[in-house]
Amino acid sequence: GNLEWLDKNKTSFLIMWRRPEEWGRLIYQWVSKNGFTNSVFTLYELASGDDTENEEFHGLDETMLLRALQALQQEHKAEIITLDDGRGVKFF
């Protein structure tokens, strides 16, 4: 369940430690626990910032981070936004 084919010919794949939905849950638990609902973060702040240094998602690849945030967006817990210097996310 943690392997995903990246092409139709099945020549390359991605092995995931956790599914995007699981990463999303971890991120949202951190947001809720620290009172960051209604806050905006850059993707850099989430993956590499000082506030997330001791969290499991610290250092998460940007592609997987985006997929986790997209899962949260589908649950109406977050919205991915475009900022002047890149992408960010607002949590609800």
Side-chain angles (χ1 to χ4, degrees):
N2 290 340
L3 180 139
E4 182 177 299
W5 292 104
L6 297 175
D7 61 350
K8 291 184 181 196
N9 295 328
K10 296 186 177 183
T11 58
S12 60
F13 57 88
L14 175 66
I15 296 177
M16 298 176 270
W17 177 253
R18 288 191 168 94
R19 307 276 313 152
E21 298 79 12
E22 294 174 64
W23 284 118
R25 275 193 294 278
L26 284 173
I27 293 167
Y28 199 76
Q29 285 172 0
W30 173 79
V31 167
S32 298
K33 176 179 67 175
N34 290 289
F36 292 138
T37 52
N38 295 316
S39 297
V40 175
F41 287 88
T42 65
L43 298 189
Y44 177 84
E45 288 173 315
L46 284 177
S48 304
D50 293 341
D51 290 338
T52 64
E53 198 167 44
N54 296 320
E55 301 300 321
E56 290 183 63
F57 58 87
H58 186 83
L60 190 62
D61 175 74
E62 186 174 323
T63 302
M64 185 58 71
L65 178 60
L66 269 173
R67 291 177 68 184
L69 295 174
Q70 287 168 345
L72 288 175
Q73 187 168 267
Q74 289 178 345
E75 297 175 15
H76 307 289
K77 293 181 177 179
E79 181 181 352
I80 299 169
I81 56 176
T82 302
L83 304 169
D84 292 339
D85 56 349
R87 291 187 181 168
V89 61
K90 180 175 182 174
F91 293 101
F92 304 114

